[in-house]
Amino acid sequence: MQFVLVTKGQQAIREFTGAMHDRTGNLPPLYGIFPDYTAPIVRNQPEGRELTMARWACPRPSLR
């Protein structure tokens, strides 16, 4: 399992990633980001990079 901390503010994330659009709303520090939770991501869009929230998960191994 991967454990990630997000303790930098939105402005720092936008500056580091070059995100032009911010759709996260008021993003508090996230002291634990786990699979199946929403987390901030930066994605490429036709109008530029976008900081937004997305739910993510790790692929599960197939059951045999």
Side-chain angles (χ1 to χ4, degrees):
M1 180 187 306
Q2 185 177 9
F3 180 74
V4 180
L5 299 175
V6 176
T7 57
K8 299 292 183 188
Q10 286 170 264
Q11 183 63 32
I13 295 170
R14 285 191 301 266
E15 289 174 5
F16 180 75
T17 62
M20 300 174 71
H21 304 283
D22 186 349
R23 305 208 194 297
T24 58
N26 187 15
L27 181 63
L30 301 172
Y31 296 104
I33 297 175
F34 300 98
D36 210 25
Y37 285 77
T38 57
I41 64 164
V42 176
R43 61 184 177 184
N44 290 321
Q45 294 295 321
E47 60 275 355
R49 288 186 176 178
E50 173 184 67
L51 177 62
T52 189
M53 300 296 284
R55 187 172 151 229
W56 65 280
C58 296
R60 295 181 184 188
S62 60
L63 299 174
R64 294 181 184 194

